[in-house]
């Protein structure tokens, strides 16, 4: 995403940050990267349907989380290119280390296409209000979630829905009163379903490995490890020594320490830019929060075209702070979400190509042992 300054940096990563902006700047025609609200679809004709965006756990429609505009200038078919991430709104579907409630789609277009001007858009002039709202009707999008809207309201035929689920939500939220009225096509927009909307801006990561600091940290970790083993041995002795053998204790302690080390590597890297919500590094390696549940190459399924997938970007836990998902009981949660896409960015199949996401949660030891 960043221009050609990469080579001089010791990091190949672009960081993403959320920013407030005028909502018109996040419309499809401006090719935005964005968080929350409705998706700004790239290909406008064959947007994913409710079925394609159904949560793999509860089966209800997922909600738009974010999209990353990431063209590949070397590939004519990817002059415009956007990767979309959706997730279920129900915290109960967000189980640890499972990506079953996420949906990923990639869309791309050549410079000459059916939807957008050949020349870049005028970014200083907001489009007329009516024209903006018109797009949803023209392209038959669900007025609640902005996804493919296969059903129209059978009474007024003025609004469309991706399915029964969102029709019922909208009916309760205001369409019941608006249906049949002169302006029934106006958005009700009271449905508390979408995530808050933000612009997603990127800048190159300015980072170099601080060897001195790292060395100190290793020493600290070694001391912690020794202390931990001493405690373990005491516990064992106190319990009559009938449990684990010393060899097992050492192995367990080593494993836990390595685990914490990964978490401190993560924290050290993020500390300089703690507000980062995204790390973009096409073909790179994700910054894992834990050594547990790291995928091997076999864990990343090939694209339907037969080519392997490569890492493209990861969503950071910091994003959760902007989503207003905290509740007393349970909450949507992740350590990191790593998104993998087709190495060829192929055009096989539909306009929206399913891609792959790997979710990693914090390990138990990292959470209890360190101040996050
Ligand atoms: Zn669900
Ligand atoms: Zn919908
Ligand atoms: Zn109606
Ligand atoms: Zn492919």
């Amino acid at each position: 995403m960043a221009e050609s300054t990469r080579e001089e940096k010791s990091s190949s990563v672009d960081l993403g940050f959320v920013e407030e902006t005028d909502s018109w700047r996040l419309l499809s025609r401006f090719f935005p990267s964005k968080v929350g609200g409705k998706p700004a679809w790239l290909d406008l004709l064959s947007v994913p349907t409710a079925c394609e965006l159904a949560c793999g756990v509860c089966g209800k429609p997922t909600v738009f989380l974010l999209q990353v505009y990431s063209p590949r200038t070397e590939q004519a078919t990817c002059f415009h290119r956007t990767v979309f991430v959706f997730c279920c709104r129900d915290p109960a579907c967000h189980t640890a280390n499972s990506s079953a409630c996420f949906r990923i789609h990639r869309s791309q277009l050549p410079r000459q296409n059916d939807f957008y001007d050949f020349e870049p858009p005028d970014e200083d002039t907001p489009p007329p209000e009516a024209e903006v709202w018109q797009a949803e009707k023209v392209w038959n999008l669900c007025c609640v979630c902005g996804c493919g809207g296969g059903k129209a309201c059978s009474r007024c035929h003025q609004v469309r829905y991706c399915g029964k689920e969102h029709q019922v939500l909208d009916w309760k939220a205001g369409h019941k009163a608006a249906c049949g009225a002169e302006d029934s096509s106006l958005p009700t927009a009271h449905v508390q379903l979408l995530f808050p909307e933000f612009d997603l801006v990127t800048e190159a990561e300015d980072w170099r490995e601080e060897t001195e600091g790292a060395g100190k940290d290793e020493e600290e970790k070694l001391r912690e490890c020794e202390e931990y083993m001493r405690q373990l041995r005491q516990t064992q002795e106190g319990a009559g020594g009938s449990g684990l053998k010393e060899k097992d204790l050492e192995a367990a302690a080593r494993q836990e320490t390595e685990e914490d080390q990964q978490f401190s590597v993560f924290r050290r890297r993020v500390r300089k830019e703690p507000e980062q919500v995204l790390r973009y590094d096409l073909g790179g390696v994700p910054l894992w929060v834990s050594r547990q549940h790291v995928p091997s190459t076999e864990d990343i399924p090939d694209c339907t075209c037969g080519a392997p997938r490569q890492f493209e970007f990861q969503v950071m836990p910091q994003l959760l702070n902007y989503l207003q998902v905290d509740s007393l009981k349970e909450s949507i949660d992740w350590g990191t979400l790593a998104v993998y896409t087709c190495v060829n960015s192929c055009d096989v199949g539909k306009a929206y190509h399913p891609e792959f996401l790997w979710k990693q949660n914090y390990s138990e030891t990292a959470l209890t042992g360190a101040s996050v």
Side-chain angles (χ1 to χ4, degrees), residues 236-264:
Q236 283 303 120
E237 278 159 18
S242 58
L244 296 165
K245 295 200 176 65
E246 179 133 334
K247 193 168 56 137
D248 300 324
L249 287 178
E250 275 174 30
R254 205 178 311 120
Q255 201 191 339
E256 296 223 345
T257 308
E258 281 177 4
E259 192 56 47
D260 290 348
Q261 269 172 7
Q262 183 57 40
F263 189 54
S264 70

